[in-house]
């Protein structure tokens, strides 16, 4: 009488040799040792030997040898379809693995970081690693929600890495279960076109801002307030009206508007470095407001030690170390 063994789901089952299972699955599919041998590039005798060994291992006959050909026994009929599914899944797993290894390095970043910081520097990484293909995606999902924001389609839901191999997040850095490296802290200060330093209402001190258009973006201060509100409080002008002005969904759009002379924005030197260096933007007031949010390089435990991910992470850290913040 055959007995059915119960296996603990957490312990591996002792399986017959893989070559024998493959020989049986192929022969059962063709109902022919000769056809199986042709497919597997071996001799019919080798197929017969593998199946005989499998039958001995299992203690079950798998084929009936008839004059008209082969026929599966009841045991063979039970085993064959499940083996076919198993080998198909193994093949799919290998193909999925190859697709990951052969595909481009998937990098995601918050939009303003991707536009103003990453893209202008990316040529240096490409030049140093010509064998690596890189795909850059900009996503607002890589900006942590502030304390007073309800979770929406644009805030953090699910994985901090947003289905990428490596990401640059703007947030707290608190992402349990992931490799997290602090890239750089940030501060904000008023920025504008140099044209606003002259004229009828030159911008020389914080009180002069009441004569200029305030430009707002989607970045918030640590307590969830608008950046202008927090900055004016730090400047000793907490009653300043900030309800009017231009509003943009991204910091990089606000910086462009400021450079075009449309008003004054609260900008991050880390994102405006090239415009400040060229004089397209100026930071006329000394007061700078540090933020608790910072930029972090985040990768999943399954990708963090991949060679291409390590190369990109190291490059980001090196670039940030020599860039103004």
């Amino acid at each position: 009488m055959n007995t059915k063994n119960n296996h603990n789901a957490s312990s591996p089952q002792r399986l017959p040799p893989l070559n024998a299972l493959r020989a049986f699955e192929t022969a059962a599919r063709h109902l022919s040792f000769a056809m199986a041998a042709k497919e597997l590039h071996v001799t019919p005798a080798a197929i017969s030997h593998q199946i005989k060994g499998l039958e001995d291992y299992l203690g079950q006959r798998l084929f009936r040898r008839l004059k008209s050909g082969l026929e599966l026994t009841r045991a063979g009929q039970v085993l064959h379809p499940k083996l076919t599914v198993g080998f198909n899944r193994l093949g799919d797993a290998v193909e999925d693995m190859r697709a990951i290894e052969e595909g481009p390095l998937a990098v995601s970043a918050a939009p303003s970081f991707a536009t103003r910081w990453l893209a202008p520097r990316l040529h240096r990484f490409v030049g140093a690693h010509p064998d690596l293909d890189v795909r850059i995606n900009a996503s607002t999902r890589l900006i942590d929600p502030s304390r007073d924001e309800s979770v929406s389609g644009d805030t953090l839901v699910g994985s901090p890495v947003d289905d990428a191999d490596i990401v640059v997040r703007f947030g707290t850095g608190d992402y349990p279960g992931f490799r997290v490296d602090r890239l750089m802290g940030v501060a904000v200060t008023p920025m504008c076109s140099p044209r606003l330093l002259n004229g009828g209402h030159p911008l020389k001190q914080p009180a002069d801002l009441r004569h200029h258009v305030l430009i707002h973006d989607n970045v918030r201060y640590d307590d969830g307030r608008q950046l202008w509100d927090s900055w004016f409080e730090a400047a000793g002008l907490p009653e300043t009206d900030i309800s009017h002005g231009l509003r943009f969904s991204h910091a990089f759009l606000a910086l462009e508007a400021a450079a075009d002379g449309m008003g004054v924005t609260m900008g991050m030197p880390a994102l405006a470095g090239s415009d400040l260096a060229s004089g397209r933007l100026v930071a006329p007031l000394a007061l700078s407001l540090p933020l608790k949010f910072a930029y972090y390089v985040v990768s999943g435990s399954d990708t963090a030690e991949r060679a291409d991910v390590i190369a990109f992470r190291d490059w980001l850290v090196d670039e940030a170390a020599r860039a103004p913040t």
Side-chain angles (χ1 to χ4, degrees):
M1 181 176 68
N2 292 328
T3 60
K4 190 172 184 178
N5 293 327
N6 292 322
H7 295 274
N8 189 311
S10 64
S11 62
Q13 299 182 19
R14 186 165 177 263
L15 296 174
L18 186 62
N19 285 343
L21 292 173
R22 177 50 112 180
F24 165 72
E25 191 281 328
T26 309
R29 185 160 24 91
H30 293 291
L31 289 177
S32 168
F33 287 180
M35 293 293 291
K38 184 177 181 181
E39 179 175 325
L40 298 178
H41 306 288
V42 296
T43 65
I47 295 291
S48 179
H49 176 76
Q50 290 281 5
I51 291 174
K52 178 63 168 62
L54 181 60
E55 290 177 328
D56 291 344
Y57 183 97
L58 298 174
Q60 297 270 12
R61 289 185 60 197
L62 300 174
F63 289 102
R64 294 187 186 92
R65 281 76 167 173
L66 307 175
K67 289 183 179 180
S68 57
L70 293 177
E71 180 180 89
L72 287 171
T73 64
R74 176 61 181 160
Q77 292 172 14
V78 170
L79 182 61
H80 177 239
K82 294 182 179 180
L83 274 184
T84 299
V85 171
F87 279 115
N88 286 340
R89 287 181 177 175
L90 283 173
D92 291 342
V94 171
E95 288 304 311
D96 289 345
M97 179 274 298
R98 286 175 175 165
I100 291 173
E101 292 298 323
E102 295 172 359
L105 174 66
V107 179
S108 288
S112 293
F113 181 89
T115 303
R116 303 284 303 196
W117 194 95
L118 180 57
R121 293 169 168 81
L122 193 60
H123 67 94
R124 288 197 281 268
F125 178 81
V126 173
H129 302 276
D131 54 324
L132 292 181
D133 294 326
V134 181
R135 184 180 74 244
I136 305 294
N137 176 58
S139 172
T140 53
R141 285 174 53 83
L142 296 174
I143 303 173
D144 286 3
S146 60
R147 285 192 323 186
D148 65 339
E149 287 179 316
S150 60
V151 175
S152 69
D154 284 341
T155 57
L156 177 59
V157 178
S159 171
V161 296
D162 199 37
D163 297 326
D165 298 319
I166 185 170
V167 307
V168 180
R169 288 197 70 91
F170 183 60
T172 65
D174 183 18
Y175 315 118
F178 291 82
R179 163 74 186 256
V180 180
D181 295 83
R182 192 175 190 271
L183 187 61
M184 58 185 174
V186 294
V188 291
T189 191
M191 296 183 186
C192 63
S193 165
R195 298 197 299 269
L196 272 61
L197 301 184
N198 303 300
H201 299 285
L203 185 53
K204 304 294 185 182
Q205 56 187 355
D208 297 331
L209 286 164
R210 68 182 184 274
H211 302 296
H212 296 275
V213 175
L214 301 183
I215 300 175
H216 307 264
D217 60 33
N218 63 335
V219 179
R220 293 291 180 266
Y221 190 55
D222 305 333
D223 57 7
R225 289 185 297 165
Q226 294 187 48
L227 292 178
W228 277 116
D229 191 20
S230 301
W231 188 87
F232 275 119
E233 182 177 287
L237 300 169
E239 303 302 321
T240 304
D241 181 10
I242 64 165
S243 61
H244 303 291
L246 293 172
R247 300 181 186 278
F248 292 92
S249 59
H250 298 293
F252 73 89
L253 297 175
L255 288 170
E256 283 300 312
D260 288 339
M262 298 177 67
V264 187
T265 188
M266 291 295 294
M268 300 179 192
L271 302 185
S274 61
D275 284 334
L276 291 171
S278 68
R280 186 167 178 254
L281 281 172
V282 293
L285 304 176
L287 180 60
S288 183
L289 193 65
L291 303 183
K292 287 184 179 178
F293 272 22
Y295 284 105
Y296 293 89
V297 184
V298 187
S299 48
S301 58
D302 58 332
T303 62
E305 300 308 315
R306 260 178 34 194
D308 54 350
V309 173
I310 292 172
F312 197 80
R313 181 171 58 238
D314 290 347
W315 172 78
L316 285 171
V317 172
D318 288 344
E319 285 286 329
R322 64 183 187 179
T325 59

